[in-house]
Amino acid sequence: MQKHYKSLYIVYIALFLTLIFISPVNASPLIPERVKVGLNYNSASSGMIISCNSSVAVNSLNGTDKSALLNISKPSKLSFRTDGYYNIIDKEIKKIQYIKAVKYQGDIIGPYHIQIGESFADYDSAEKSLENIKTKLPDSFLAYDGMWSIWTGLFLDEKQCLDQINIYQNKSNFYTYKLVEPDQRRVQIADVNSNDVMLIYKAQQVEIRASESMENTSPLEVNGVKYRGNILLKTQEDGSILVINDVAFDEYLYSVVGSEANPAWPIEALKAQAVAARNYAVINLGKHNKDGYDLCSTTHCQAYKGYSKEHDSTNKAVAQTKNKLLFYGDEVATTFYHSSSGGHTENSENIWSEEIPYLRGVDDPFSVGSPNDTWTHALDRKAMQQKLIENNMDIGDIIDVNIIETSEFGRAKKVEITGSKSAVILEKEKMRTIFGTSDIKSIWYEIKTDSDVNIYDTNSNSISVKRPQGLHIISASGQTIIEPSGKKISIKGLFDVQQYNIMPQTYILNGKGWGHGVGMSQYGAKGMADSGYSFIEILEHYYTGTKVK
């Protein structure tokens, strides 16, 4: 009996230790529960419209303080706008730089207000007072700047305020009246339909939270785009407003994968995209800390376009790879990806600067046949010159453009542009940056021109392509070198005479693939999935020496 108890005791101890040390299935300390996404990166706004199909709460988020500013118990459409000057024409409202001497169409509202009575320590006291004041001054509204007040009016200047104060004092001397000067850090909340101001607040950051949610979605819309989670508005010192979506991490991925990949693609390709997107987000968390959020919604981080980009298939891909990450040894891999490689991916140092061991160029036949497998783009000489000037590179009239160095896989690492004043060498992605990433889809291209001449070399029995300038020619007047000019030259071939520009007027780029070419090709992933490869095999093919864990 004693031996039996001893055995049970050992079993209990073992079970206890197992319960202590076992990890939750698929848990990862690297993956946050929520993420803050900047929705207007590089384009902070002076106003936006936020709609809600159910009740909504607006809360102040100053430091540790989270106090309610406004509660609306019915579907609403609210305008959040900086407390400034606006022109209203046929119910359309537009922010303006107000000039007193200018005659405007429609109505003008301004940032001067009148405070009625004293301030209140809490919302309930202010709300109760507002009910009484509205019986006499119906245009009154709540104001919050750390204390609660009752304000009225959207006046253009100090004189209008003082004139109105005199009128109020003559009509209703039950209250005290005080002029409120403009402050660009204040924000108005107005009803879009009536344009009535509901609240003016001065707070560094507020949260808009839907009190009720629809089926797995948030009823909050920002300028017509629906988002899960909560919306944060952060007022900057210059009066502009940052819009931030505070959302569950997996729900963020739902939109990213739906925005970055075709939902009709095979599930294994979508799962590869889900892991790549998760890795990329984890690696780049805090990229925009100085702006008050983790990641932005543009391709500067990853494309994030809200609820409308979610699909059952892409959401399933996120769920089926939950908490899966790609590792190189113990290191979380930086999973750069692009649309299509053109047949071969590229080494990281040939596109940027750092040599990363798992971002090696690999053969990619699965990408061949994609919509941008091959492409052509023509660059006009004059337009190129203007673009260079805009980028502080005035080299004079462009004489020629040549690739002077390629990677081992054929991409243009250095392009020399020669001008009448000087020459400039554009390295790696710089050519795309200056002349357009949508037009020059990758740096894997060759350059042809409207001046190219096919010359037959009798010694090697081969044909080479040359441009007239700099060539030695023999004419009726003897041997000469063709100098760069805007003229044409006539060249007699075996069967006819053709004219060529001495200096090219058009540079034609014949290229392959779309994107930087580093890491996973999205069309290549689709091709691999179509051929029966798993998402793990896809990822470990494009990211050399990595493992999915």
Side-chain angles (χ1 to χ4, degrees), residues 148-164:
W148 288 95
S149 304
I150 312 299
W151 290 359
T152 190
L154 301 168
F155 301 108
L156 301 181
D157 53 35
E158 184 176 320
K159 183 179 183 304
Q160 276 194 356
C161 278
L162 295 175
D163 289 345
Q164 193 62 46

Side-chain angles (χ1 to χ4, degrees), residues 60 110 118 137 160 163 190 304 341 365 397 423 450 502 549:
S60 171
E118 300 303 318
L137 302 172
Q160 276 194 356
D163 289 345
Y304 172 74
S341 72
D397 292 333
D450 57 1
I502 291 178
K549 300 178 187 179

Side-chain angles (χ1 to χ4, degrees), residues 290-302:
K290 64 179 177 60
D291 300 316
Y293 50 88
D294 300 305
L295 302 163
C296 72
S297 61
T298 73
T299 53
H300 180 255
C301 292
Q302 295 184 104

Side-chain angles (χ1 to χ4, degrees), residues 60-62 65 69 83 142-148 151 180-189 199-206 233 235-237:
S60 171
L61 299 179
N62 281 332
D65 177 38
L69 295 180
D83 190 22
L142 290 173
Y144 176 80
D145 61 356
M147 295 287 286
W148 288 95
W151 290 359
V180 179
E181 296 278 353
D183 187 330
Q184 65 181 2
R185 292 169 295 176
R186 290 197 300 251
V187 176
Q188 301 175 9
I189 305 178
L199 172 72
I200 293 181
Y201 69 84
K202 179 181 175 181
Q204 185 182 10
Q205 188 165 262
V206 298
L233 302 181
T235 310
Q236 307 290 80
E237 286 298 319

Side-chain angles (χ1 to χ4, degrees), residues 434-455:
I434 292 176
F435 299 113
T437 55
S438 295
D439 294 324
I440 303 178
K441 298 186 184 301
S442 74
I443 62 167
W444 193 353
Y445 53 79
E446 60 179 8
I447 301 175
K448 296 191 176 297
T449 79
D450 57 1
S451 293
D452 291 349
V453 180
N454 293 323
I455 297 177

